[in-house]
Amino acid sequence: MRHIVAAYLSEHDFRVASVASRQDATRYLVQGKPDVVLLDLVLGEEDGLDLLREIRSESDVPVIIITGHRCNEADRVVGLELGADHYLTKPFNIRELLARIRAVLRRRDAERILAARKSEHGVYRFGGWEFDRHSRQLSARDGVSVPLTKGEYALLAAFLERPHTVLSREYLLQATRMHEDVFDRSIDVQILRLRRKLEADASDPQIIRTERGVGYLFALSVERP
């Protein structure tokens, strides 16, 4: 089952690490820093709940627990009380697992976006540009104000909060409060419009770069005076 799930998620553009023991899982949690953990509570002679406790003592990474069809309901309750985000009972539909993973990641990203919006907002400087979140103004190198739509403003703010980081389309859709469908191409239109305002040549972008199959990356360093 582990190999089937890993192969299926890989086909849907996830980078997957599959581990068979608590020791390997603990090691990978430190080294790999995963975005989400799928945890089978039945780990042979080991206790999945103990591993969940260990994970929660060290990290707030989202965890989806998987239980056997004969697993005591109390284990599922304890798992949720220990901080699991979701649970599935075997046998499960693998497409439902994919939907649960995406839902958990959307919620995590939304929480990060909300936290960023609540943090101190101010002036950002990058590559000769200045962006003031208080006045919602973007100023060009010559001091001329460049108008931004609501979507472009939210998109640029999301990039400036996390420069040099590949941001998925799902994350950017959440950041701009657009439709959550991962197949929605509206974010690509917003990217193109923002590039036309920032880039010297929008057809050869150097500031907002496309990471094919993954998302977009803001390539400039950002200063917050």
Side-chain angles (χ1 to χ4, degrees), residues 20-51:
S21 70
R22 177 176 175 178
Q23 182 179 6
D24 289 341
T26 301
R27 184 182 305 112
Y28 182 76
L29 284 167
V30 174
Q31 298 175 351
K33 299 186 182 303
D35 294 310
V36 63
V37 172
L38 307 181
L39 173 61
D40 195 326
L41 293 186
V42 182
L43 299 177
E45 297 179 357
E46 299 176 320
D47 188 344
L49 290 176
D50 284 342
L51 177 54

Side-chain angles (χ1 to χ4, degrees), residues 2 10 14 35 42 61 80 110 113 117 120 125 129 134 156 158-159 166 174 187 194 211 219:
R2 194 158 42 86
S10 296
F14 285 91
D35 294 310
V42 182
V61 60
L80 294 173
I113 293 168
R117 285 173 176 164
E120 181 180 357
R125 291 175 182 165
W129 293 86
H134 290 295
L156 180 57
F159 278 126
V166 178
Q174 287 285 338
I187 196 68
L194 188 57
E211 298 293 327

Side-chain angles (χ1 to χ4, degrees), residues 25 42 100 114 140 155 175 184 220:
V42 182
R100 293 286 182 96
L114 181 61
L155 185 60
D184 191 333
L220 296 182

